[in-house]
Amino acid sequence: QLQLVESGGGLVQPGGSLMLSCAAASGSNLDYYTIGWFRQVPGKEREAVSCIPSRGYSIMYVDSVKGRFTISRDKSKNTVFLQMISLKPEDTGVYYCAALWGPPPGNCMGPVVNGLYRSWGQGTQVTVSS
């Protein structure tokens, strides 16, 4: 059973930066998994923010974070990162990383594929406020 651990959240002022990390607590090799970052705000549906396939299809971002967020893998650390810059108050939420085994059946984000992510971390809080 893949166990994921997020870290790197915190309180930051608008315009600031954070880097979130998603690591495998169970020792599994994340290279074989498609990894997605999602965020949850109370009262709203969970939103897919970005994803990186194990192979094949392209990295994706939700429109609201394009140009500000960057997802990447560090194979030597077996970790997936989400670099966030120019943060806005509307980026506030609990950020979760999630994994699905292998490449996605198509794009790594979307109404159908979002339901295929089976392993989830515990989440890390990101608060953007002055």
Side-chain angles (χ1 to χ4, degrees):
Q1 178 76 18
L2 177 64
Q3 294 179 316
L4 300 173
V5 179
E6 304 96 337
S7 60
L11 172 64
V12 64
Q13 292 186 341
S17 302
L18 285 173
M19 178 176 280
L20 305 184
S21 301
C22 175
S26 53
S28 299
N29 188 341
L30 292 184
D31 287 352
Y32 297 113
Y33 293 85
T34 291
I35 302 296
W37 281 99
F38 297 78
R39 64 186 175 196
Q40 179 80 59
V41 178
K44 293 187 177 181
E45 290 188 4
R46 185 174 58 200
E47 176 185 38
V49 174
S50 181
C51 57
I52 183 167
S54 60
R55 59 181 173 86
Y57 292 89
S58 301
I59 286 173
M60 296 187 70
Y61 300 95
V62 68
D63 285 347
S64 61
V65 308
K66 286 180 180 177
R68 300 187 298 119
F69 290 14
T70 304
I71 191 171
S72 62
R73 292 182 186 269
D74 186 327
K75 295 185 177 184
S76 67
K77 297 180 180 179
N78 197 28
T79 300
V80 174
F81 297 100
L82 186 68
Q83 175 69 56
M84 307 186 295
I85 66 171
S86 302
L87 283 161
K88 303 176 181 181
E90 51 264 42
D91 294 318
T92 294
V94 179
Y95 283 69
Y96 299 89
C97 67
L100 67 86
W101 171 256
N107 290 329
C108 55
M109 281 168 40
V112 174
V113 68
N114 288 350
L116 300 179
Y117 287 89
R118 292 287 183 258
S119 301
W120 292 80
Q122 82 289 349
T124 186
Q125 176 71 44
V126 171
T127 303
V128 185
S129 175
S130 55

